[in-house]
Amino acid sequence: MSVQYDLHSHSTASDGSLSPSALVRLAKLRDIDVLALTDHDNIDGIREAQLEAEQVGLQLIAGAEISVSWGNTTIHIVGLNLDIDNPVLLRGLQRLCEFRQWRSEEIARRLAKKRIEGALDGARAFAKGNIIGRVHFARFLIEQGYAKDMRQVFRRYLVQGKPGYVPGDWATLEEALDWIHAAGGQAAIAHPARYRLSATRLRQLLGEFQELRGSALEVVSGSHSRDEIQRMAQLCSRSGLLASAGSDYHGPENPYMDMGKLPAMPVNCVPVWESQPWIHAQKAQAVALPASARLAL
Ligand code: AMP
Ligand code: MN
Ligand code: MN
Ligand code: MN
């Protein structure tokens, strides 16, 4: 079996539902050899994930998924192979964390106007780390019976034009890439097909990203259809960017974005792992997990 990569995943340090160590154990069970933990706007889960990765025998790549405001669109930039002690990166992430605090209060105020009380405390109860996001509000609203599942709750309350939506005031594209590069990392545009950009706008994004020395495009994503993968592969090879692959796994409640089930990288792309020395291109040693580790999932 070839080396398995998953370069985009979430833990309880942001809006995933597994702890960093449980996530690593699951990745191991799913035969992943190289896993990047890329929580939204923070690196708080990396140390725990790294310790667990050493225990079970897989390579853990320190990452983060940075929220960026690009025009009116929120774009996600994945930083890979980050020095998690770098002060420039930490200061940048801190600013986004503070914006998230303010935004969470504003979301709650807007929901209260629609007679949905207690949303801030409700969402906070679901946030296990320092980051609060729309998914935590979504879980609260589902619990209170305002919607039946994630898809519905976002559509009714949390997307543009709905009562609980607050426009982003995230990093600029330039800031995000500066922080990633200051921390010695490489930048990849996450799930490019999700932004619903026109072909022209998408080309423009890629152009700006490349001028800022961005490295890769996430061609294979848990949130891309087969058609979207082919389209992004073509764009990737034409632009000369490297291609990345990640599940965007958030936990077992999201069955449509599972771990260890990513489609193969299209052959016309150069995968990021073929040219990067920080990715050890070898099959991880098989290490038997103790039964307790399996139960803990
Ligand atoms: P935030 O960064 O707090 O604005 O939240 C963004 C996160 O919300 C994404 O990373 C997804 O985890 C989740 N999300 C966004 N849109 C949807 C949707 N339509 N359905 C389900 N989850 C979504
Ligand atoms: Mn998320
Ligand atoms: Mn994302
Ligand atoms: Mn993600």
Side-chain angles (χ1 to χ4, degrees), residues 3 17 43 57-58 61 66 68 103-104 120 132 169 179 184 186-187 195 227 236-237 243 253 285 292 296:
V3 181
S17 60
I43 43 83
L58 63 72
I61 289 174
I66 300 180
V68 164
R103 185 185 70 157
S104 67
L120 187 56
I132 185 155
D169 182 15
W179 303 343
Q186 308 250 349
Y195 310 122
D227 275 5
C236 190
S237 70
E253 309 80 2
Q285 298 279 319
S292 58

Side-chain angles (χ1 to χ4, degrees), residues 111 116 137-147 153 157-158:
L111 289 174
I116 300 177
F137 282 92
R139 291 188 186 137
F140 163 77
L141 290 167
I142 293 169
E143 177 196 64
Q144 296 293 308
Y146 290 102
V153 77
Y157 294 98
L158 297 168

Side-chain angles (χ1 to χ4, degrees), residues 70 75 77 173 177 187-193 195 197-219 231-242:
W70 189 70
I75 302 281
I77 301 291
L173 190 61
L177 269 75
I189 300 178
H191 43 63
Y195 310 122
L197 297 171
S198 67
T200 311
R201 281 290 278 165
L202 190 52
R203 270 201 306 275
Q204 199 181 340
L205 174 64
L206 264 55
E208 287 183 30
F209 181 70
Q210 285 186 291
E211 277 194 14
L212 295 165
R213 296 187 296 115
S215 304
L217 190 67
E218 212 172 71
V219 169
R231 228 163 10 95
M232 294 307 135
Q234 240 177 34
L235 202 62
C236 190
S237 70
R238 275 199 216 128
S239 64
L241 284 164
L242 297 169

Side-chain angles (χ1 to χ4, degrees), residues 12-16 97-109 111 117-141 143-144:
T12 44
S14 65
D15 56 10
C97 181
E98 281 160 19
F99 172 69
R100 279 183 177 278
Q101 285 302 332
W102 175 84
R103 185 185 70 157
S104 67
E105 292 158 22
E106 183 63 18
I107 290 175
R109 278 192 288 272
L111 289 174
E117 304 294 339
L120 187 56
D121 286 343
R124 278 186 180 147
F126 283 103
K128 304 286 177 242
N130 294 321
I131 284 284
I132 185 155
R134 281 186 289 166
V135 166
H136 305 119
F137 282 92
R139 291 188 186 137
F140 163 77
L141 290 167
E143 177 196 64
Q144 296 293 308

Side-chain angles (χ1 to χ4, degrees), residues 25-86:
R25 287 195 293 274
L26 177 65
K28 184 68 188 178
L29 289 174
R30 299 285 170 84
D31 279 324
I32 287 160
D33 304 292
V34 181
L35 173 74
L37 176 59
T38 57
D39 275 308
H40 297 285
D41 305 321
N42 85 90
I43 43 83
D44 299 344
I46 300 291
R47 271 181 228 286
E48 181 187 320
Q50 235 145 20
L51 285 174
E52 193 67 23
E54 281 164 27
Q55 293 290 314
V56 303
L58 63 72
Q59 188 190 357
L60 192 282
I61 289 174
E65 182 176 18
I66 300 180
S67 309
V68 164
S69 294
W70 189 70
N72 292 329
T73 312
T74 295
I75 302 281
H76 287 169
I77 301 291
V78 164
L80 296 170
N81 191 37
L82 302 172
D83 167 9
I84 58 167
D85 295 316
N86 180 272

